[in-house]
Amino acid sequence: MEERYIPRDVEEKWQRFWEDGSVFRACADADGEKYYLLEMFPYPSGRIHMGHVRNYSIGDVLARFMRMRGRNVLHPMGWDAFGMPAENAAIKHRSHPATWTYENIEYMRSQLKKLGFSYDWDRELATCHVGYYKWEQRIFLEMYRKGLVYKKNSFVNWCPKCETVLANEQVEDGCCWRCDSSVEQQELDQWFFRITDYAEELLEYTYRLPGWPERVLTMQRNWIGKSLGCEIDFPLEGRDGAIRVYTTRQDTLYGATFMSLAPEHPLALELTVPERREEVAEFVDRVKRTDKTKRTGDEMEKEGVFTGSYCVNPVTGRRMPVYLANFVLPEYGTGAVMAVPTHDQRDFEFARKYDLPLAVVIQPEGEALDPAAMEAAFTEEGIMVNSAGFDGLKSSEAKDRIADHLEKEGIGKKTVNYRLRDWGISRQRYWGNPIPVIYCERCGVVPVPEEDLPVLLPVDATFTGEGGNPLARIQSFVNVPCPECSGPARRETDTMDTFVESSWYFLRYCCPRYEESPLDRREAEYWMSVDQYIGGIEHAVLHLLYARFFTKALRDLGYVDIDEPFTNLLTQGMVIKDGAKMSKSKGNVVDPDALIGSYGADTARLFSLFASPPERDLDWSDQGVEGSYRFLNRVWKMVYELAPLVREAGAVDVSALGASGAVLRRITHKTIRKVTEDIEDRFHFNTAIAAIMELVNAITSFEGKKDPGCAPVLKEAVESVVLLLAPFVPHIAEELWDGLGHGGGVDSASWPAWDESALVEEEITIVVQVNGKLRGKVNVAAGAGEDDVKAAALADEKVLAHTDGKTVRKIVYVPGKLVNIVVG
């Protein structure tokens, strides 16, 4: 152990030690209860950022802590490697996405290794590697055979800049989640995963995940959006057929005066009379180009167009004009809304604008509403009126009664509806997993036979940024014989949404080199579920929902025996600098490489863990980084100076401890308990580190540092500091542990246990005076500070009898003897 702390030398030494010894390799047959720790894997964009450093440092603390606690830890790393940025880079640099991707992986892997994360690199995977995506193609085919995959023509979210389709979950405030371009609507043939088959189970299990943040569970429940209502048929006037609506407000049915259809509704143009077709077509085209989020926003002006057709209210017989309305979406309910302007604000605004009739069917108790005088819809609970045999009922009670009536009369039925829609996975791009399907004019849709898998991405694609999907231009890829009739056929040129890859990678980590099938069931049964998953809140209804769905689908395909992939979830905060999230566009990025070069990886880790609790945003501070570096130097100096004294010391003899030794031992064991509980129970890494800092202060101020008789208690304290620091700053901890005479690495050492008897504090009695007269006595810990003693004196019941209601002017404390409270 050198006198001076040189981070680069220390870190390179121990990174070689870990790699050469395969220290972090995980085996299913190893001793100890399994613990699967996983952070969301990164996209290989080229460089890691401080958000990565923080996220992976949080996970590494838990992995190393659990390993020292005797758990058999699996802590893998890989790359979410398909996606548009690689194609954009290929266009920009006139290269190939694979070249860009693998170069980035190489560099980012070296960055992660420099930070000392305890990954099992033998399990590394990249989703763009055929060894991964070939199994995903097989899963696709098995889901297809089970009816969980289908193709249909539908309106989709289209990003004109990326030239590809986006799932609903990938549209954020009307913009593409990747490039922020405004999203348009287009009608395309698309492949879908039938996630709606699992809607109820996905919802139900949000109440069985106590280890997840309630905020994430609430977001998923809202996205799934279960509602209880009725489907009701409104017969068309003058022709066969009906418009079917879904409503949760069947209590307002008697007040429905017109019908609103989504412009995308299949009946929209069919019901349009000839003289209105030009106006309707223009309206439909304009609304389709409007973002759906904006269409449903309160600030959006309610617009519509009359089709010229009518339907009939099935309970009142009222003739209802059929409109197309910009605020009605095709994916909610049936895409048709019975409009009740007196009891729905959007309908109210629409009716006023187009001079449509209003009919009141719910009144506030004791008040009569006049439709002509209403300035807004009445949407509260009230008393039913103008509703035939339901008049006089509370509207909440009428809901069930009317639902029963509709079913009895055969004009409606009680229905459960979900906001969740099937997951569209078709993407019009090259750098993704090819969808293993062939189209034959004679045979139709033909799945690629399993013996012909994988469908490989061709390497001879060119990237110009023009002409859409490069795959569609590669004739050798597109034109193939039909597997069934051997006639001419063409291959599917869409690739899968990249969220498919991230929906099961955590399972493949259990057996990344298994070549018999997508998963080795024995390995998956041992390691799954993931005990602790860590990632950003932004994935609450994207990756996390899809991963839950995929796990359930793979369970039903016989690959796994679990219902949920992640037992516990931690969503970490962002890294903030100058009041904003770090980003290149804001010019506030801190380069991890520069930070490591100046201060070392352990300083980077320590600051990111100490500056804020994991779930909160971290405010960047150059002073905080300097402070973390100074602390590590201080620990180094302390251990270097004390190592000769404590290296050969024996165990603590409690009976031989003096007063100061007993205090140091008490602080040591209190620190062990606090750090253990803060890591294990609360993830309060910042307070755990603060407690270690206090123990360092206690050691450096300990009066017996030069007394050989105090060597055992000093050894216990110093070694505890090193062991407690090991999950946070592993390189320096390894070097200090080695310097204290221990071989084998600190990672293989046992986590220290606290001694309950050491926590019991000796008490002393303090006399309490009020204005110089004895008024009471209090017992306090022997090591209690002045403020604690004064607080105990003021709280004593006997003392309170003489101070209550009086002004305390000052308190005089004679250490270890008395407190005099001066009141006036």
Coordinates of all heavy atoms in Angstrom, one line a residue, residues 222-255:
N222 N -53.8 3.5 -15.2 CA -54.5 4.5 -16.0 C -54.3 4.2 -17.5 O -55.2 4.4 -18.3 CB -53.9 5.9 -15.7 CG -54.3 6.4 -14.3 OD1 -55.2 5.9 -13.7 ND2 -53.5 7.3 -13.8
W223 N -53.1 3.6 -17.9 CA -52.9 3.3 -19.3 C -53.8 2.1 -19.7 O -54.4 2.1 -20.8 CB -51.5 3.0 -19.6 CG -51.2 2.9 -21.0 CD1 -51.1 1.8 -21.8 CD2 -51.0 4.0 -21.9 NE1 -50.8 2.1 -23.1 CE2 -50.8 3.5 -23.2 CE3 -51.0 5.4 -21.7 CZ2 -50.6 4.3 -24.3 CZ3 -50.8 6.2 -22.9 CH2 -50.6 5.6 -24.1
I224 N -53.9 1.1 -18.9 CA -54.8 0.0 -19.2 C -56.2 0.5 -19.2 O -57.0 0.0 -20.1 CB -54.6 -1.1 -18.1 CG1 -53.2 -1.7 -18.2 CG2 -55.6 -2.3 -18.3 CD1 -52.8 -2.6 -17.1
G225 N -56.6 1.3 -18.3 CA -57.9 2.1 -18.3 C -59.1 1.2 -18.4 O -60.0 1.4 -19.2
K226 N -59.3 0.4 -17.4 CA -60.5 -0.4 -17.3 C -61.7 0.4 -16.9 O -61.6 1.3 -16.0 CB -60.3 -1.5 -16.3 CG -61.5 -2.5 -16.2 CD -61.3 -3.5 -15.1 CE -62.5 -4.5 -15.0 NZ -62.2 -5.6 -14.0
S227 N -62.8 0.2 -17.6 CA -64.1 0.9 -17.3 C -65.2 -0.1 -17.4 O -65.2 -1.0 -18.3 CB -64.3 2.2 -18.1 OG -64.3 1.8 -19.5
L228 N -66.2 0.2 -16.6 CA -67.5 -0.7 -16.7 C -68.6 0.2 -17.3 O -68.9 1.3 -16.8 CB -67.8 -1.1 -15.3 CG -66.8 -1.9 -14.5 CD1 -67.2 -2.2 -13.1 CD2 -66.4 -3.2 -15.2
G229 N -69.2 -0.3 -18.3 CA -70.3 0.4 -19.0 C -71.2 -0.4 -19.8 O -71.4 -1.6 -19.5
C230 N -71.7 0.1 -20.8 CA -72.7 -0.6 -21.7 C -72.3 -0.4 -23.2 O -71.9 0.7 -23.5 CB -74.1 -0.1 -21.5 SG -74.8 -0.7 -19.9
E231 N -72.5 -1.4 -24.0 CA -72.6 -1.2 -25.4 C -74.0 -1.1 -25.8 O -74.9 -1.9 -25.4 CB -71.9 -2.4 -26.1 CG -70.4 -2.4 -26.1 CD -69.8 -3.5 -26.9 OE1 -70.5 -4.4 -27.4 OE2 -68.6 -3.4 -27.2
I232 N -74.4 -0.1 -26.6 CA -75.7 0.2 -27.0 C -75.8 0.4 -28.5 O -74.9 1.1 -29.1 CB -76.3 1.5 -26.3 CG1 -76.0 1.4 -24.8 CG2 -77.7 1.7 -26.6 CD1 -76.3 2.7 -24.1
D233 N -76.8 -0.2 -29.2 CA -76.9 -0.1 -30.6 C -78.0 1.0 -30.9 O -79.1 1.0 -30.4 CB -77.4 -1.4 -31.2 CG -76.3 -2.5 -31.2 OD1 -75.1 -2.1 -31.2 OD2 -76.6 -3.7 -31.2
F234 N -77.6 1.9 -31.8 CA -78.5 3.0 -32.3 C -78.8 2.7 -33.7 O -78.0 2.8 -34.6 CB -77.8 4.4 -32.2 CG -77.7 4.9 -30.8 CD1 -76.8 4.3 -29.9 CD2 -78.4 5.9 -30.3 CE1 -76.6 4.7 -28.6 CE2 -78.3 6.4 -29.0 CZ -77.4 5.8 -28.2
P235 N -80.0 2.2 -34.0 CA -80.4 1.8 -35.4 C -80.2 3.0 -36.3 O -80.5 4.2 -36.0 CB -81.9 1.4 -35.3 CG -82.1 1.1 -33.8 CD -81.2 2.0 -33.1
L236 N -79.8 2.7 -37.6 CA -79.7 3.7 -38.6 C -81.0 4.0 -39.2 O -81.9 3.1 -39.4 CB -78.7 3.2 -39.7 CG -77.2 3.1 -39.3 CD1 -76.4 2.4 -40.3 CD2 -76.6 4.5 -39.0
E237 N -81.3 5.2 -39.6 CA -82.6 5.6 -40.1 C -82.5 5.3 -41.6 O -81.6 5.7 -42.4 CB -82.8 7.1 -39.9 CG -84.2 7.6 -40.4 CD -84.4 9.1 -40.2 OE1 -83.8 9.9 -41.1 OE2 -85.1 9.5 -39.3
G238 N -83.6 4.7 -42.1 CA -83.7 4.5 -43.5 C -82.9 3.4 -44.1 O -82.8 3.3 -45.4
R239 N -82.2 2.6 -43.3 CA -81.3 1.5 -43.9 C -81.1 0.5 -42.8 O -81.3 0.8 -41.6 CB -80.0 2.1 -44.4 CG -79.2 2.9 -43.3 CD -78.0 3.6 -43.9 NE -77.0 2.6 -44.2 CZ -75.9 2.9 -44.8 NH1 -75.6 4.1 -45.2 NH2 -75.0 1.9 -45.1
D240 N -80.6 -0.6 -43.1 CA -80.2 -1.7 -42.2 C -78.9 -1.3 -41.4 O -78.1 -0.5 -41.9 CB -80.0 -3.0 -42.9 CG -81.3 -3.6 -43.5 OD1 -82.4 -3.2 -43.0 OD2 -81.2 -4.4 -44.4
G241 N -78.8 -1.9 -40.3 CA -77.6 -1.6 -39.5 C -77.8 -0.7 -38.3 O -78.9 -0.1 -38.1
A242 N -76.7 -0.6 -37.6 CA -76.8 0.3 -36.4 C -75.4 0.8 -36.1 O -74.4 0.3 -36.5 CB -77.3 -0.5 -35.2
I243 N -75.4 1.9 -35.3 CA -74.1 2.4 -34.8 C -74.0 1.9 -33.3 O -74.9 2.2 -32.5 CB -74.1 3.9 -34.8 CG1 -74.1 4.4 -36.3 CG2 -72.8 4.4 -34.2 CD1 -74.2 5.9 -36.4
R244 N -72.9 1.2 -33.0 CA -72.7 0.7 -31.7 C -71.8 1.6 -30.9 O -70.8 2.0 -31.4 CB -72.1 -0.7 -31.7 CG -71.8 -1.3 -30.3 CD -71.6 -2.8 -30.4 NE -72.8 -3.5 -30.7 CZ -72.9 -4.8 -30.9 NH1 -71.8 -5.6 -30.7 NH2 -74.1 -5.4 -31.2
V245 N -72.3 2.0 -29.7 CA -71.4 2.9 -28.9 C -71.1 2.2 -27.6 O -71.8 1.2 -27.2 CB -72.2 4.2 -28.5 CG1 -72.6 4.9 -29.8 CG2 -73.3 4.0 -27.6
Y246 N -70.0 2.6 -27.0 CA -69.7 2.2 -25.6 C -69.8 3.4 -24.7 O -69.2 4.4 -25.1 CB -68.3 1.5 -25.5 CG -67.9 1.3 -24.1 CD1 -68.3 0.2 -23.4 CD2 -67.0 2.2 -23.5 CE1 -68.0 0.0 -22.1 CE2 -66.7 2.0 -22.1 CZ -67.1 0.9 -21.4 OH -66.8 0.8 -20.1
T247 N -70.5 3.3 -23.6 CA -70.6 4.4 -22.7 C -70.5 3.9 -21.2 O -71.0 2.8 -20.9 CB -71.9 5.2 -22.9 OG1 -72.0 6.3 -22.0 CG2 -73.1 4.3 -22.7
T248 N -69.9 4.7 -20.4 CA -70.0 4.5 -19.0 C -71.1 5.3 -18.3 O -71.3 5.3 -17.1 CB -68.7 4.9 -18.3 OG1 -68.4 6.2 -18.5 CG2 -67.5 4.0 -18.8
R249 N -71.8 6.1 -19.2 CA -72.9 7.0 -18.7 C -74.2 6.6 -19.3 O -74.9 7.5 -19.8 CB -72.5 8.5 -19.0 CG -71.3 9.0 -18.3 CD -71.5 9.1 -16.7 NE -72.7 9.7 -16.3 CZ -72.9 11.0 -16.2 NH1 -71.9 11.8 -16.4 NH2 -74.1 11.5 -15.8
Q250 N -74.6 5.4 -19.1 CA -75.9 5.0 -19.6 C -77.0 5.7 -18.9 O -78.2 5.7 -19.3 CB -76.0 3.4 -19.5 CG -75.9 2.9 -18.1 CD -74.5 2.4 -17.8 OE1 -73.5 2.9 -18.4 NE2 -74.3 1.5 -16.9
D251 N -76.7 6.3 -17.7 CA -77.8 7.1 -17.0 C -78.2 8.3 -17.8 O -79.2 8.9 -17.5 CB -77.3 7.4 -15.6 CG -75.9 8.1 -15.6 OD1 -75.1 7.8 -16.5 OD2 -75.7 9.1 -14.8
T252 N -77.4 8.7 -18.8 CA -77.7 9.9 -19.6 C -78.3 9.5 -20.9 O -78.5 10.4 -21.8 CB -76.4 10.7 -19.8 OG1 -75.5 10.0 -20.6 CG2 -75.8 11.1 -18.5
L253 N -78.6 8.2 -21.2 CA -79.0 7.8 -22.5 C -80.2 8.5 -23.0 O -80.3 8.8 -24.2 CB -79.3 6.3 -22.4 CG -79.9 5.6 -23.7 CD1 -79.0 5.8 -24.9 CD2 -80.1 4.1 -23.4
Y254 N -81.2 8.8 -22.1 CA -82.4 9.5 -22.5 C -82.1 10.9 -23.0 O -83.0 11.5 -23.6 CB -83.4 9.5 -21.4 CG -84.0 8.1 -21.2 CD1 -83.4 7.1 -20.4 CD2 -85.3 7.7 -21.8 CE1 -83.9 5.8 -20.3 CE2 -85.8 6.5 -21.6 CZ -85.2 5.5 -20.8 OH -85.7 4.3 -20.7
G255 N -80.9 11.4 -22.7 CA -80.6 12.8 -23.1 C -79.7 12.8 -24.4 O -79.3 13.9 -24.8

